[in-house]
Amino acid sequence: MGLGAGWLAQDYHPLGIDFGDPAIRAARFEESLEIITALLNGSTLHYEGAHYRVEKHKTDPPPTLDQRVPVLAGGGGRRILTVAARSADI
């Protein structure tokens, strides 16, 4: 699964999502990566962040692979690359 912080405003507007400045996009990326990784690991998730809140959510059906889906994270800035290095597989 590939993730990034986003860089093209046109991708946000049709979804009704505010594009935000680079710091906001980086913060949303960091939170979303934590959430997605936990769900792919089969965890029941309780998460409260600045941008997302998840209550008692789990993947249903649970992951069945011996190994979870690898997460690829990409970006060009130091913050995104630091988050990617810490949390992504690729």
Side-chain angles (χ1 to χ4, degrees), residues 12-33:
Y12 285 72
H13 298 304
L15 300 171
I17 300 170
D18 182 43
F19 184 58
D21 63 38
I24 296 293
R25 292 194 312 274
R28 288 190 305 219
F29 169 75
E30 188 167 7
E31 286 188 24
S32 66
L33 188 55

Side-chain angles (χ1 to χ4, degrees), residues 2-90:
L3 299 171
W7 60 272
L8 188 60
Q10 308 179 99
D11 291 343
Y12 285 72
H13 298 304
L15 300 171
I17 300 170
D18 182 43
F19 184 58
D21 63 38
I24 296 293
R25 292 194 312 274
R28 288 190 305 219
F29 169 75
E30 188 167 7
E31 286 188 24
S32 66
L33 188 55
E34 287 179 49
I35 291 166
I36 290 167
T37 300
L39 292 172
L40 289 174
N41 286 335
S43 301
T44 298
L45 189 59
H46 306 276
Y47 183 89
E48 182 88 31
H51 303 281
Y52 303 105
R53 187 181 83 215
V54 180
E55 296 180 17
K56 299 180 187 175
H57 189 74
K58 66 178 180 176
T59 308
D60 191 21
T64 57
L65 300 174
D66 291 337
Q67 235 179 0
R68 72 168 169 75
V69 174
V71 175
L72 175 141
R78 179 180 294 274
R79 181 170 178 193
I80 297 299
L81 294 175
T82 299
V83 170
R86 181 178 63 237
S87 302
D89 301 304
I90 305 168

